[in-house]
Amino acid sequence: MSTFLLVHGAWHSGRCWERVVPLLESAGHRVYTPSLTGYGDKAHLLGPAVGLDTHVEDVVKLVHEEDLTDVVLVGHSYAGLVISSAANEIPERIAQLVYLDAMVPEHGETAVDVQPITRHLIDRAERSGGGWRVPPLPEMPAPYGLFGVTDPVDVAWLRAMLSDHPVRCLRQPVRMDNPAMRSVPRAHIHCVGVQPEGITRRPVPATQPNGSPARVWELPTGHDCMVTMPVELSELLLRL
């Protein structure tokens, strides 16, 4: 039995994993899908002081409170930053990191360093919303849709869970200076369907920090694969 801790990306909540959870649980695994501070059942805590460090603390606190070990820590999109810093704090509890169409940082980098288009989101927030909150990205015409989701029913379900994203999350640097973190295996899952203009993906080095060959899988769908391809995503996670 594995323990999966699935961390949602910016604007989303833990509900986005609802189609994946039963598939992993039916295979005999434990699954945790917390909503980070400012989202879902914690939406009322959204504020300018919420940052990347807040979300890292959310994950680390859950691991300690539930006494989780051998955790498969999955981060989607922005949460690539979150799982990186979280693993830096508790590497002994992490079995592996999975970057799911995610930002993959180096020590000291911010979201802007990893995904330069993020600067435009910060600039937009500074012109409205009190300067600290970034509203969810708008739905685009097909085939882009809302985070790659195009089915009208799915779009409505997804839109209902979205919240603004604090600018502080995009400005705080990732901490990855714990030497023990280098031994944690990594895997990368890329969504290779349509991709909006301006979104870039860093090449995955051929060798992981622990010296093992890189492990990269692809899903032929948009960004929110947990909504559009939950079966295929679950099958990949079960192969790790």
Side-chain angles (χ1 to χ4, degrees), residues 13 18 28 50 60 63 68 98 101 118 137-138 142 159 164 173 189 196 205 207 214 219 222 224 228 230-232:
S13 78
E18 283 186 1
V50 174
V60 173
V63 170
L68 305 181
V98 182
D101 217 37
T118 303
L137 298 180
R159 191 191 307 280
D164 289 352
I189 300 175
T207 304
L219 288 173
D224 276 8
T228 57
V231 173
E232 295 83 353

Side-chain angles (χ1 to χ4, degrees), residues 37 39 46-48 50-51 55 132-134 164-170:
T37 298
Y39 306 99
L46 183 70
V50 174
H55 293 158
W132 65 268
R133 56 200 300 163
V134 181
D164 289 352
H165 190 60
V167 165
R168 188 175 176 85
C169 295
L170 308 177

